Amino acid sequence: MITAEALQHIRSKFRGDLITRDDPRFDAARKVFNAMIDRRPGLIARCTSPEDVAHIIKLAHDRGEVLSVRCAGHNVAGYAVCDEGVVIDLSPMKQIDVDPVERSVRVEAGATWGEVNDALQGHGLAATGGFVSVTGVSGLTLGGGFGWLMRKHGLALDNLISAQVVLADGEHVTASAAENPDLFWAIRGGGGNFGVVTSFQFRVHPAGTVFAGIVLHPASGATDVLRHWREFEKTSPNDLTQGALLFHFPDDPSAPPALRASPVIGVGGVCAGPPGDGERVLAPLRNYGPPVADLFQPMPYNAAQRMADFLWPPGLHNYWKSSYLERLSDEAIDVIADFFGRVPSRRTVVVLEYYGSDGAMQRVADSDTAFGHRGFPYNFLVTSAWSAPAEGERNIEWTRQFFEAMRPFAASSAYLNYIGDEGAAGLDASYGAGKLARLASLKAKYDPDNIFRMNQNIAPASAPSR
């Protein structure tokens, strides 16, 4: 429990904003993307600098308080907030500095990918992370960093030049290939286990105008659409990053009658080459069917990054399950179509992402970063979402049954940022034994007391697992 005396002491040093339970802003400040998460911390510390972060780490450590770190609060497991303890809230730290000559950007940890790409758009540049704009830069990068430019330019963490990190003892260090290279290896995929990253420096890439959008078909034709998409992707260039989605179209009066409030199968993405190339490359996909709607068009990259935001609004209850796929078989497609036909919530979205086999992500050696599993061509993700708490049991059970039905086709590997709190099994799926052992050793070096444990937690090598 944070006492009044401790609060008075920290206020004398802290330049940010401290929110306690009696503050009228408390309930809004503790909310995160997933409405299933209903935790009540004892203190929320909105930091404005690395020094603020170091003060709060010391406060929590000295008093034996649980410590969590919040950036955008988008992670489905809800690790950004804790019960009773202290939240380091980095959301006020949003400074973005673009260097168009060096094609780099420095980003504070509270920024979202939409904010970063808004800052880059005027320079005709784009950063690689994020399929939606509201995802936080920090959490996505530390766990991997999928996004619309990944086949052409790699993951967000593949484009990380350096990071500023506040360690468990309060020291503020640089992690890069030249400084603390073991820490740099660990934070590129190891999540928030090793310290609080307060800013990132990324390489960025030319991508002013892209050819982006989606084609939509009735969900009743999902099996045929997915099989056609699978064949199309076999020859698609690395300029093109795409995914297939099953969802319910919004109840929009301006929508074609065949789409309005209806279940649909959509195939969409971003072609980062010249717009003329995008039209040529995507012609076989856009002409198939034909689709009920073809929404592909040239657009600024920062607009393309927002085109799927409506599918994952804040304030819903969320339960996700995910796994990589070595291939997308006819049998797997049949299971996907069958289960989506019985989906209990109209807010649920089923996602198939295609990563290719020879893109920028695959050209980075597996041993170069803590992130693993670069060789799988597909990822399967069920993002179940619903409004009323009473609907939870039915939606969770459907999701689990769906995932079990897909298990014969799934790899025993998963993407860290797409899973919930699955404990040791989730860590094994995300890293494998070799990388997990190396990460545990580095955890013992940089956070031996496991202060940073509100995450997909890697216990220090000398300590028992959580």
Side-chain angles (χ1 to χ4, degrees):
M1 180 66 124
I2 305 296
T3 64
E5 181 183 2
L7 280 174
Q8 184 177 0
H9 177 69
I10 198 66
R11 281 193 172 106
S12 67
K13 306 175 180 180
F14 190 76
R15 294 186 178 182
D17 191 12
L18 299 176
I19 299 176
T20 56
R21 289 183 176 179
D22 58 356
D23 192 306
R25 301 170 297 168
F26 177 75
D27 280 334
R30 70 186 180 92
K31 287 183 180 177
V32 291
F33 165 77
N34 186 357
M36 284 183 70
I37 308 302
D38 186 24
R39 299 186 184 126
R40 298 178 60 83
L43 176 68
I44 299 171
R46 286 183 165 165
C47 299
T48 59
S49 68
E51 291 73 25
D52 278 353
V53 171
H55 289 318
I56 299 303
I57 291 173
K58 186 176 189 307
L59 172 74
H61 190 221
D62 288 351
R63 305 190 67 82
E65 298 285 350
V66 175
L67 183 68
S68 64
V69 181
R70 177 188 182 129
C71 296
H74 198 263
N75 178 266
V76 71
Y79 293 127
V81 288
C82 54
D83 269 324
E84 301 298 334
V86 179
V87 176
I88 290 178
D89 186 348
L90 301 178
S91 61
M93 297 177 63
K94 290 181 176 289
Q95 185 171 337
I96 301 168
D97 298 314
V98 180
D99 186 335
V101 176
E102 294 295 325
R103 290 185 179 173
S104 67
V105 62
R106 180 185 175 276
V107 183
E108 286 192 324
T112 65
W113 287 108
E115 291 165 340
V116 171
N117 282 304
D118 285 348
L120 291 167
Q121 188 65 47
H123 303 282
L125 299 169
T128 55
F131 285 126
V132 293
S133 70
V134 295
T135 308
V137 167
S138 186
L140 190 80
T141 301
L142 297 177
F146 293 163
W148 291 121
L149 300 178
M150 60 181 290
R151 288 185 66 193
K152 187 171 187 177
H153 296 300
L155 307 174
L157 61 78
D158 294 334
N159 289 273
L160 185 63
I161 299 169
S162 66
Q164 302 303 306
V165 188
V166 181
L167 301 177
D169 62 2
E171 184 182 3
H172 187 197
V173 302
T174 299
S176 69
E179 298 180 72
N180 302 297
D182 58 348
L183 179 62
F184 189 52
W185 181 89
I187 65 172
R188 288 179 295 161
N193 277 283
F194 304 94
V196 180
V197 178
T198 56
S199 67
F200 303 81
Q201 184 185 17
F202 296 100
R203 287 184 296 273
V204 294
H205 307 277
T209 299
V210 295
F211 196 74
I214 192 168
V215 289
L216 297 167
H217 301 259
S220 57
T223 55
D224 290 339
V225 172
L226 286 174
R227 286 169 183 159
H228 178 77
W229 173 64
R230 179 186 61 193
E231 297 308 307
F232 167 79
E233 285 291 6
K234 288 179 180 178
T235 59
S236 64
N238 289 326
D239 280 357
L240 178 62
T241 299
Q242 275 201 327
L245 309 168
L246 290 105
F247 64 98
H248 281 77
F249 199 82
D251 189 6
D252 183 349
S254 65
L259 289 179
R260 184 176 174 183
S262 297
V264 296
I265 170 74
V267 180
V270 172
C271 189
D277 286 359
E279 292 193 50
R280 175 183 53 79
V281 166
L282 285 157
L285 198 69
R286 300 171 70 200
N287 294 335
Y288 174 78
V292 176
D294 178 356
L295 305 180
F296 275 100
Q297 60 182 304
M299 64 180 74
Y301 180 77
N302 63 338
Q305 196 178 45
R306 286 179 165 82
M307 64 185 177
D309 284 5
F310 75 97
L311 291 172
W312 292 281
L316 297 176
H317 295 248
N318 281 263
Y319 181 78
W320 293 11
K321 296 287 282 184
S322 178
S323 178
Y324 292 111
L325 303 177
E326 293 183 4
R327 63 190 186 94
L328 184 60
S329 66
D330 286 350
E331 294 79 10
I333 288 172
D334 290 341
V335 170
I336 292 167
D338 174 56
F339 267 85
F340 186 73
R342 296 181 274 128
V343 66
S345 171
R346 300 172 65 87
R347 306 311 300 264
T348 291
V349 184
V350 178
V351 184
L352 286 163
E353 295 171 351
Y354 179 71
Y355 307 145
S357 59
D358 62 347
M361 180 177 80
Q362 289 87 10
R363 291 193 289 271
V364 176
D366 186 71
S367 60
D368 283 357
T369 67
F371 178 83
H373 311 313
R374 292 178 179 269
F376 294 107
Y378 294 97
N379 196 60
F380 165 69
L381 170 63
V382 185
T383 62
S384 286
W386 60 94
S387 299
E391 299 172 5
E393 184 177 351
R394 183 165 66 114
N395 281 275
I396 291 171
E397 182 60 24
W398 173 87
T399 309
R400 288 174 173 166
Q401 290 178 3
F402 189 1
F403 196 72
E404 283 301 311
M406 284 293 291
R407 196 173 292 278
F409 318 109
S412 59
S413 304
Y415 174 40
L416 187 76
N417 287 341
Y418 282 173
I419 62 174
D421 189 353
E422 298 181 12
L427 293 176
D428 289 342
S430 299
Y431 298 111
K435 283 193 174 179
L436 198 53
R438 182 177 176 185
L439 286 165
S441 178
L442 289 169
K443 177 76 168 178
K445 175 181 178 179
Y446 286 101
D447 183 19
D449 296 327
N450 206 8
I451 293 170
F452 305 117
R453 61 183 180 272
M454 279 295 293
N455 46 43
Q456 301 284 1
N457 190 235
I458 299 165
S462 57
S465 298
R466 180 173 56 138

